[in-house]
Amino acid sequence: MFRKAHLLFTLLCGGSTAAIMVIMSLFYLSVSEKSLYDNQFRSFQNDISTITASLEQSTSVSMQWLARIEAQNGYSIFIVDNGTPFLYNDLHSNVDPTSQSLFSESLDAYNASILVENLDPEGNTYSGIWHSEYEFTSPTTGDSFYASLIDIERNRILSQIIILFPLSSLHVSIMSQRILFLLIDLCAVIALFTFSWVFTGKLLKPLQQNHEKQLQFVAAASHELRTPLSAILASNECCQTASEEERVGFSQTIRGEGKRMNNLIDDMLTLAHSGMSRFQIDRKSVELDTLCLNAYEAFEPLCEQKCIELSLQLPDAPLIRCSCDPDRIAQVLSILLHNALSYTPEGGQINLSLFYRKERKPYFEIVVTDTGIGITDAEKPHIFDRFYRAEKSRSTKGHFGLGLSIAYEIVTGHHGKISVRDNPLGGSIFTVKLPE
Ligand code: ADP
């Protein structure tokens, strides 16, 4: 399920960002290509304006000058003098037979698109130079050019100069720009999908862990519930054939196991609600010393029964009140004292202390110390996990491994901290820190 979701999120996340990126880069590419064409055409027009200005100033056209312009700018130049191709065309090495046809094709293209009026309608004689730039594609070779037709009118003699600039080099640079963009886009798409895979994987990991924990929780809960339920069913079965006296015993077992089940279900509900908004901390202004005193009084007879010495240590000065949920904190005290009582053998000692620490951020500290069997370093990181019991054989009936996980949820729900360390005298020390 999570693998499928991972794949789906990756496709969704990577696909959408990659699509946006590709669309943006295509847009940029088209803008950049258009500006390349525009710039090239503008520079061609500027060159032609310069050439025309020189032609206007001189009375004759020098062949060397034309050859220099051709060589400098990569142009091909063709001259028609009063309808006759100029000698320059034959002499110049750039102009091969194919070029000759190119010139006539470009002239045809020009004539087909623009009507040129070189003479005024009155037929007056005057001198002048006109030039016009356009793009044309040779119908025979398919090559594209920027072309300029310069008409020179002097004393009713018309000379025409055609200048061609091949766009092949521009096409090559545009093609290489496209290939570069394609490669960059390809790398970016791969990087985006890899990032999305890693990112969504990290995002889903806590959900997956949570899901696995829930499955473990359900499995462990079913397992724990089965034990008292089996005992109840078995006792009920036996009741059918048992004597009156035995029945009393069986009904006691049923009641006891039913109570165990009830406690377990309560614990499970508390933990189930801890992950939801229903796990509310009903804060009140509470005297923590009173809460500790109540817990002490509740456990004193139980400790006495087990010959364990229970002591209480409260601050001498009156304490400021703590903003906390009194029922929940009383539950934490009960869990810690119950554990201390369960895991401390006869003749041991348990101490419940309360401190108010005036640090930069003042807090209350509740400490439960016992001289019991203690908790090994290997077990310490797990004791707050649900259904964890350090050594199952050690646990007495009624211990499901949920107490400390409930205490943990309550304390963290109060933005506090709960921790355990070894008691130097043997046993464990549990510390609960609650913010003021
Ligand atoms: P349980 O209901 O089994 O006590 P808890 O979550 O309260 O479950 O405790 C988890 C485990 O941590 C216990 O099974 C026990 O092995 C260990 N533990 C808890 N408190 C103490 C303690 N005071 N001394 C020794 N071991 C303890």
Side-chain angles (χ1 to χ4, degrees):
M1 182 182 90
F2 276 95
R3 212 176 156 70
K4 216 170 154 187
H6 190 183
L7 209 70
L8 206 76
F9 278 133
T10 306
L11 286 177
L12 208 74
C13 199
S16 50
T17 38
I20 292 170
M21 191 203 67
V22 168
I23 290 169
M24 282 176 72
S25 65
L26 283 179
F27 176 72
Y28 175 78
L29 196 66
S30 78
V31 169
S32 144
E33 282 182 12
K34 194 179 172 306
S35 84
L36 264 177
Y37 276 115
D38 288 352
N39 287 346
Q40 188 65 65
F41 191 65
R42 228 169 286 131
S43 125
F44 180 68
Q45 278 181 320
N46 287 343
D47 283 354
I48 300 299
S49 299
T50 317
I51 292 167
T52 324
S54 304
L55 284 172
E56 266 176 333
Q57 281 160 14
S58 57
T59 45
S60 62
V61 178
S62 135
M63 281 196 214
Q64 283 88 347
W65 182 72
L66 288 174
R68 211 175 50 244
I69 290 173
E70 275 197 324
Q72 270 174 2
N73 303 299
Y75 295 155
S76 297
I77 299 178
F78 188 78
I79 308 170
V80 181
D81 203 11
N82 224 6
T84 322
F86 199 56
L87 183 65
Y88 173 81
N89 308 328
D90 300 327
L91 291 178
H92 203 265
S93 57
N94 270 0
V95 184
D96 58 20
T98 354
S99 311
Q100 299 278 2
S101 68
L102 263 178
F103 290 124
S104 51
E105 281 171 7
S106 67
L107 202 56
D108 291 346
Y110 177 77
N111 290 332
S113 59
I114 304 165
L115 179 68
V116 201
E117 292 280 341
N118 289 329
L119 297 174
D120 74 356
E122 306 291 314
N124 291 333
T125 307
Y126 68 98
S127 296
I129 293 184
W130 299 265
H131 66 94
S132 176
E133 285 70 53
Y134 55 99
E135 188 182 338
F136 112 95
T137 304
S138 159
T140 45
T141 59
D143 294 333
S144 300
F145 299 87
Y146 283 148
S148 177
L149 181 76
I150 306 173
D151 286 322
I152 309 169
E153 171 83 19
R154 280 195 183 108
N155 301 324
R156 287 195 156 267
I157 296 171
L158 177 72
S159 303
Q160 287 184 309
I161 299 177
I162 301 164
I163 301 178
L164 294 180
F165 173 69
L167 293 180
S168 50
S169 58
L170 189 65
H171 287 159
V172 167
S173 62
I174 281 175
M175 197 44 90
S176 41
Q177 182 175 304
R178 283 183 185 176
I179 292 171
L180 188 75
F181 261 75
L182 186 80
L183 286 176
I184 292 173
D185 274 4
L186 210 71
C187 293
V189 166
I190 293 171
L192 271 173
F193 273 98
T194 317
F195 173 76
S196 303
W197 177 260
V198 176
F199 179 72
T200 49
K202 280 206 187 311
L203 210 73
L204 285 173
K205 201 162 185 179
L207 290 179
Q208 192 172 2
Q209 283 170 345
N210 211 20
H211 180 69
E212 277 162 16
K213 267 189 185 169
Q214 294 224 347
L215 289 180
Q216 283 169 5
F217 181 75
V218 170
S222 319
H223 177 79
E224 291 299 336
L225 280 170
R226 195 175 289 138
T227 320
L229 195 63
S230 314
I232 290 171
L233 289 174
S235 303
N236 187 48
E237 191 89 359
C238 295
C239 269
Q240 317 283 325
T241 51
S243 65
E244 199 61 40
E245 206 178 308
E246 283 171 329
R247 252 185 227 164
V248 177
F250 285 130
S251 68
Q252 264 177 3
T253 310
I254 291 173
R255 209 176 307 120
E257 292 301 323
K259 224 173 136 194
R260 265 190 77 199
M261 271 181 85
N262 196 40
N263 290 342
L264 177 57
I265 289 167
D266 278 351
D267 284 356
M268 289 198 310
L269 280 177
T270 309
L271 279 174
H273 290 170
S274 71
M276 307 178 200
S277 52
R278 261 193 284 169
F279 186 72
Q280 277 181 357
I281 304 286
D282 199 0
R283 284 180 188 272
K284 284 179 190 144
S285 175
V286 177
E287 286 177 349
L288 274 185
D289 41 5
T290 313
L291 273 190
C292 288
L293 194 65
N294 291 346
Y296 169 80
E297 282 170 356
F299 275 86
E300 202 186 16
L302 298 171
C303 288
E304 225 173 78
Q305 266 177 24
K306 219 181 149 183
C307 299
I308 289 173
E309 189 189 319
L310 177 66
S311 54
L312 174 69
Q313 190 189 336
L314 297 174
D316 296 332
L319 262 189
I320 62 160
R321 286 168 168 264
C322 172
S323 161
C324 63
D325 185 329
D327 295 336
R328 300 266 189 212
I329 297 302
Q331 195 178 358
V332 172
L333 289 175
S334 164
I335 290 168
L336 295 182
L337 287 172
H338 191 249
N339 277 349
L341 184 64
S342 304
Y343 303 111
T344 303
E346 270 183 29
Q349 288 162 3
I350 301 173
N351 176 264
L352 170 64
S353 314
L354 172 67
F355 304 97
Y356 177 66
R357 308 284 186 201
K358 284 185 193 162
E359 313 256 308
R360 195 168 59 85
K361 278 187 178 174
Y363 62 92
F364 295 96
E365 191 175 75
I366 301 168
V367 184
V368 177
T369 312
D370 66 57
T371 54
I373 57 175
I375 301 167
T376 64
D377 286 344
E379 292 163 346
K380 278 189 193 104
H382 305 290
I383 56 168
F384 296 103
D385 291 349
R386 293 168 187 197
F387 288 109
Y388 178 81
R389 277 178 281 186
E391 232 180 76
K392 289 196 176 182
S393 57
R394 277 179 358 177
S395 298
T396 54
K397 236 183 171 190
H399 285 258
F400 303 106
L402 291 180
L404 285 180
S405 45
I406 292 173
Y408 177 84
E409 295 295 342
I410 293 174
V411 173
T412 49
H414 279 83
H415 307 293
K417 279 184 184 153
I418 181 165
S419 58
V420 65
R421 65 194 150 97
D422 291 331
N423 183 355
L425 304 171
S428 322
I429 302 177
F430 280 87
T431 309
V432 173
K433 290 180 182 172
L434 291 175
E436 195 181 316

